[in-house]
């Protein structure tokens, strides 16, 4: 069997297939459908310091080859995560990555502090697409200074690998990537959802109560791929590709462009076994071409 | 706790256009949904098709065991891309099914007069429930018996106009009484179905009643006002747009009472779709 193992900033994964935050609940929801231990890693729903109610409904709407969501980061909060969700996740033999978010840089730091000693948490993924409430609601990930601030604070309180998840809603994602790398990030994941909108023409109201939402699914894949390609050319740390990955060939595109691993998001909704189908497809591709190590594929784009 | 795998495929038996924009589709399944209960739903999509992207939630309208497997029936109204795509399916087409999902209606054994209140396409889950009750599927010992404790099932069906009163034939077969209303007065009581119920409630023994409802949000809301001060248990089946159907995406949240927080959101797919009406909160 080909060697699929990869290293994400010190975190060893047996294969590069991870689940994208917010699309895989806290893992347990998918236990009836797949053997969770077959995954490279599980990334759980974004966690805030206190539980968050999230946005009023409607929160989702399908659009051409994608969907908009405005969940508003509804989550149980870090305390309930540790008490109620971790005991199950710890029984698994798969690295669990906690995705964290905050309203201000202190909140990120405090969540990182809380999660670092928790047995079973293998790494942190820092979602910097959230609005910085202390700076007028502009996303942390939208300017290098606030992104650096968040990453430095998180790094200062944790020895876990820190993956920084970048927002695509920026002018120059490679510049943010470089800034985040300089602040000590161990790896990057990209992209988060792209802000979009959809209108009900009968009622002349937005389809989402929140008016705007984040676009995910196949519609964003070319953009995600382009951004991963731009970023891998500018940073040395590993990059995880996310965005519209539905099958093994989508995964291969990201690997060839230079992603060390991928995250599967919206595809989980369409088929809860997507991750495993993708893993099997990847294996079949490698076996057919006698590729023995996944690294023979990563970053092999010819152009 | 390992939950049961409820992912499988089905083969379309037929897909009949029963009224303008309304279809009844039956599927044959061999692996799943054998024990699907009234109030539960499935996520359904045509196999191998990427557009629409997401599966669509549909309530069970009928579940039958045959020698060939389990037959599922759905009654649905074409309102957009997803339901339109379903309406194009014909015999032999394959669909992917995730289900049965959600909490079913809870049967209250000491309440012998069951009122089912449906608005528009809300008729689908309640018709299956009526059939289930009529066949005493919840109490095998009384199946086929005319006992003194026999349940009375009254079906209240409301729609905008006579042509939209879909599914009456099935309801008539399984209910003791069928009451209809139309907003434009073209059939039955002229007004809303909750107004009709309100009139009738005056003459009924509330201690023996239990209510189940499914329909547009406005109807559920007026029902909640109607029974607010009454001591009648009432379960409602709610709708929200769904992506995953299994409690993972948090897309289908609705507002409910919460003892410690005052209110919170919970998931229609995993915590519902059936809720106690007294737990719902309105924006
Ligand atoms: C648990 C559950 C059970 C359901 N059972 C049935 C059923 O048995 N028969 C049936 O006909 N329909 C049922 N529905 C509603 C059905 O799922 C929607 O009509 C369908 O998803 C619409 O998809 P579409 O692509 O055709 O329409 P879209 O293009 O997505 O939407 C068309 C219009 O319908 C509205 N809409 C879309 N989805 C929903 C929804 N979930 N709830 C309320 N309004 C919606 C949209 O806002 C829009 O105005 C059920 C919904 C849920 C949540
Ligand atoms: C319903 C939903 C909820 C999401 N919640 C989060 C979240 O809590 N934190 C986060 O970093 N990303 C979140 N995302 C973004 C995904 O992790 C992913 O970056 C994005 O959806 C693109 O991948 P996809 O096209 O494969 O879905 C969410 C996406 C969806 C669709
Ligand atoms: S549809 Fe995803 S949580 Fe209910």
């Amino acid at each position: 069997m080909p060697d699929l193992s990869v290293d994400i900033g010190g975190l060893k994964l047996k294969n590069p297939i991870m689940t994208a935050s917010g699309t895989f609940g806290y893992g347990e929801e998918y236990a009836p459908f797949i053997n969770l231990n077959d995954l490279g890693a599980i990334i759980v729903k974004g966690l805030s310091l206190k539980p968050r109610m999230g946005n009023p409904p409607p929160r989702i709407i399908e659009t051409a080859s994608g969907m908009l969501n405005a969940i508003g980061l509804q989550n149980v909060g870090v305390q309930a995560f540790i008490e109620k969700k971790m005991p199950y996740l710890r029984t698994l033999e798969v690295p669990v990555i906690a995705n964290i978010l905050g309203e201000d840089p202190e909140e990120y730091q405090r969540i990182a502090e809380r999660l670092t000693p928790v047995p079973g948490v293998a790494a942190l993924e820092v979602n910097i697409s959230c609005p910085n409430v202390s700076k007028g609601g502009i996303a942390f990930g939208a300017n290098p200074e606030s992104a650096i601030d968040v990453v430095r604070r998180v790094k200062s309180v944790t020895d876990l690998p820190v993956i920084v998840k970048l927002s695509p809603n920026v002018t120059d994602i490679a510049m943010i990537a470089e800034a985040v790398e300089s602040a000590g990030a161990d790896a990057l994941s990209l992209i988060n959802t792209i802000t979009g909108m959809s209108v009900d023409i009968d009622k002349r109201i937005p389809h989402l109560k929140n008016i705007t939402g984040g676009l995910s699914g196949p519609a964003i894949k070319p953009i995600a791929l382009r951004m991963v390609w731009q970023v891998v050319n500018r940073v040395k740390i590993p990059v995880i590709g996310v965005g519209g990955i539905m099958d093994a060939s989508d995964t291969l595109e990201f690997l060839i462009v230079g992603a060390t691993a991928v995250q599967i998001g919206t595809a989980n909704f369409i088929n809860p076994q997507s991750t495993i189908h993708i893993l099997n497809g990847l294996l079949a591709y490698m076996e057919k071409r006698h590729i023995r190590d996944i690294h023979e594929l990563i970053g092999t784009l010819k152009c | 706790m390992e939950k049961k795998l409820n992912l499988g495929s089905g083969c379309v038996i037929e897909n009949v256009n029963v009224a303008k924009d309304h279809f009844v589709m039956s599927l044959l399944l061999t692996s799943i949904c054998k024990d699907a209960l009234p109030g539960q739903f499935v996520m359904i999509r045509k196999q191998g098709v990427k557009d629409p992207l997401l599966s669509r939630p549909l309530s069970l309208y009928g579940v039958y065991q045959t020698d060939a497997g389990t037959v599922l029936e759905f009654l649905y109204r074409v309102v957009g891309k997803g339901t339109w795509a379903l309406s194009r399916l014909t015999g032999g087409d394959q669909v992917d099914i995730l289900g049965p999902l959600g909490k079913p209606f809870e049967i209250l054994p000491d309440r012998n007069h069951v009122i089912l209140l449906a608005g528009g396409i809300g008729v689908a889950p309640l018709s299956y429930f009526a059939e289930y009750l009529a066949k005493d599927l919840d109490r095998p010992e009384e199946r086929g018996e005319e006992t003194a404790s026999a349940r009375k099932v009254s079906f209240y069906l409301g729609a905008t106009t006579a042509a939209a009163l879909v599914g009456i034939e099935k309801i008539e077969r399984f209910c003791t009484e069928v009451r209809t209303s139309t907003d434009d007065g073209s059939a039955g009581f002229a007004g809303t179905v909750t107004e009709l119920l309100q009139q009738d409630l005056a003459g009924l023994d509330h201690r023996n009643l239990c209510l189940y409802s499914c329909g547009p949000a406005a109807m559920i809301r007026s029902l909640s006002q109607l029974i607010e001060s009454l001591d009648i248990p009432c379960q409602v089946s709610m709708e929200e747009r769904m992506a995953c159907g299994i409690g993972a995406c948090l897309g289908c949240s609705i507002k409910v009472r919460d003892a410690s927080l005052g209110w919170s959101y919970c998931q229609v797919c995993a915590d519902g779709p059936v809720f106690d009406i007294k737990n719902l909160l309105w924006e």
Side-chain angles (χ1 to χ4, degrees):
Chain A
M1 191 166 114
D3 185 356
L4 292 176
S5 64
V6 293
D7 184 315
I8 304 290
L11 177 69
K12 305 265 184 297
L13 307 184
K14 61 178 169 295
N15 68 61
I17 310 298
M18 323 165 81
T19 61
S21 177
T23 65
F24 209 69
Y26 299 99
E28 200 167 357
E29 291 85 345
Y30 285 85
F33 305 103
I34 61 172
N35 181 353
L36 296 171
N37 293 330
D38 290 342
L39 297 168
I42 292 175
I43 305 184
V44 297
K45 176 71 190 165
L47 297 163
S48 47
L49 202 53
K50 297 264 150 39
R52 280 223 205 176
M53 298 282 205
N55 287 328
R59 290 178 170 187
I60 51 176
I61 179 77
E62 181 167 331
T63 56
S65 295
M67 63 177 278
L68 288 168
N69 88 78
I71 308 301
L73 301 165
Q74 177 182 340
N75 79 94
V76 297
V78 71
Q79 186 63 30
F81 172 73
I82 294 169
E83 285 168 11
K84 302 207 177 97
K85 307 292 179 185
M86 271 318 289
Y88 172 77
L89 288 167
R90 259 198 295 278
T91 66
L92 304 174
E93 285 150 26
V94 57
V96 173
I97 300 174
N99 178 285
I100 66 172
L101 60 107
E103 282 187 352
D104 49 47
E106 287 76 19
E107 187 174 352
Y108 285 94
Q109 182 175 339
R110 289 177 62 195
I111 306 170
E113 262 167 4
R114 295 288 296 281
L115 287 169
T116 300
V118 175
V121 176
L124 301 178
E125 182 180 56
V126 183
N127 175 4
I128 57 169
S129 299
C130 320
N132 183 351
V133 171
S134 57
K135 289 270 163 64
I138 302 190
F140 294 97
N143 82 62
E145 292 76 37
S146 58
I148 288 174
D149 187 17
V150 168
V151 177
R152 286 219 176 110
R153 282 167 183 270
V154 170
K155 280 297 286 183
S156 74
V157 295
T158 191
D159 47 11
L160 294 172
V162 173
I163 304 165
V164 180
K165 184 164 180 183
L166 303 183
S167 164
N169 304 309
V170 295
T171 320
D172 184 355
I173 196 165
M175 181 184 77
I176 307 286
E178 282 176 334
V180 165
E181 180 181 43
S182 75
D186 300 294
L188 302 173
S189 53
L190 57 139
I191 57 177
N192 213 314
T193 53
I194 302 172
T195 308
M197 189 170 166
S198 171
V199 171
D200 182 330
I201 58 165
D202 292 322
K203 298 185 195 143
R204 300 192 199 185
I205 56 170
H207 271 121
L208 300 176
K209 188 81 179 177
N210 187 55
I211 304 175
T212 62
L215 183 63
S216 67
I220 71 169
K221 196 194 77 179
I223 300 169
L225 202 57
R226 181 265 292 177
M227 289 185 159
V228 166
W229 175 71
Q230 286 180 317
V231 168
V232 294
N233 287 321
R234 296 267 287 272
V235 300
K236 293 188 189 64
I237 51 179
V239 170
I240 304 164
V242 201
I245 300 179
M246 307 303 285
D247 54 30
S249 59
D250 293 337
T251 302
L252 283 155
E253 286 190 60
F254 278 89
L255 296 176
I256 291 167
V257 155
T260 305
V262 294
Q263 294 177 12
I264 314 302
T266 302
N268 292 304
F269 304 154
I270 289 128
N271 183 333
Q273 296 175 328
S274 290
T275 45
I276 302 307
H277 291 319
I278 290 170
L279 183 59
N280 291 338
L282 184 60
L283 272 171
Y285 174 93
M286 290 173 70
E287 275 165 359
K288 190 170 166 203
R289 288 165 181 77
H290 308 290
I291 300 169
R292 273 170 306 169
D293 188 322
I294 189 108
H295 292 91
E296 293 169 36
L297 279 168
I298 295 170
T300 54
L301 184 73
K302 301 172 200 150
C303 57
Chain B
M1 183 191 66
E2 275 308 288
K3 276 186 256 163
K4 219 163 75 189
L5 178 90
N6 51 2
L7 183 65
S9 60
C11 180
V12 177
I13 302 167
E14 56 177 10
N15 194 14
V16 185
N17 191 183
V18 292
K20 184 174 180 293
D21 297 332
H22 289 75
F23 289 77
V24 172
M25 178 161 62
S26 51
L27 301 177
L28 181 66
L29 286 85
T30 50
S31 58
I32 54 165
C33 287
K34 206 166 172 263
D35 44 11
L37 295 168
Q40 289 190 300
F41 68 101
V42 305
M43 298 293 287
I44 183 170
R45 61 186 295 109
K46 185 177 180 182
Q47 212 165 70
V49 169
K50 292 183 177 157
D51 183 32
L53 182 68
L54 302 170
S55 305
R56 295 295 191 268
L58 287 184
S59 300
L60 296 161
Y61 180 55
V63 179
Y64 309 97
Q65 307 308 329
T66 69
D67 292 339
T70 302
V71 173
L72 298 188
E73 265 183 14
F74 303 97
L75 167 64
Y76 61 97
R77 187 161 70 98
V78 174
V79 296
K81 183 158 107 173
T83 43
W84 188 83
L86 289 177
S87 76
R88 300 293 95 194
L89 295 171
T90 57
D93 284 342
Q94 294 286 322
V95 291
D96 288 329
I97 297 280
L98 177 61
L101 301 168
K103 279 200 317 206
F105 292 116
E106 189 195 338
I107 296 171
L108 307 174
D110 54 340
R111 300 263 171 169
N112 273 328
H113 186 182
V114 178
I115 293 183
L116 308 176
L117 182 84
I121 198 67
V123 67
L126 293 175
S127 296
Y128 174 33
F129 194 34
E131 178 175 0
Y132 191 90
L133 293 172
K135 293 180 176 169
D136 281 320
L137 294 178
D138 60 316
R139 39 185 196 188
E141 69 282 3
E142 291 182 28
R143 218 167 278 169
E145 304 263 326
E146 273 300 326
T147 58
S149 70
R151 256 180 311 231
K152 179 177 179 193
V153 180
S154 305
F155 206 111
Y156 285 72
L157 177 59
T160 47
T161 182
L165 285 169
V166 180
I168 298 254
E169 306 74 27
K170 177 165 178 170
I171 299 164
E172 279 174 341
R173 262 193 290 151
F174 296 114
C175 295
T176 331
E177 175 189 35
V178 180
R179 308 273 284 146
T180 57
S181 76
T182 49
D183 297 346
D184 64 2
S186 53
F189 173 81
T192 70
V193 70
T194 11
E195 285 163 359
L196 174 61
L197 175 69
Q198 180 169 19
Q199 277 191 4
D200 291 1
L201 274 182
L204 293 170
D205 176 5
H206 292 190
R207 286 165 308 176
N208 200 26
L209 283 183
C210 59
L211 260 164
Y212 299 87
S213 183
C214 183
M219 183 196 97
I220 308 279
R221 197 174 182 151
S222 63
L223 177 64
S224 82
Q225 283 157 0
L226 169 63
I227 66 155
E228 200 166 12
S229 56
L230 305 176
D231 194 20
I232 306 172
C234 177
Q235 297 169 37
V236 290
S237 178
M238 300 299 288
E239 287 190 6
E240 257 315 318
R241 286 193 210 122
M242 293 184 175
C244 70
I246 58 170
C249 73
L250 308 182
C252 64
S253 297
I254 57 164
K255 216 171 181 176
V256 294
R257 277 178 218 287
D258 184 294
S260 53
L261 300 166
W263 68 273
S264 68
Y265 285 121
C266 75
Q267 305 316 124
V268 171
C269 67
D271 304 312
V274 177
F275 292 91
D276 184 330
I277 201 166
K278 297 223 155 73
N279 286 336
L280 300 177
L281 286 171
W282 305 92
E283 295 285 344

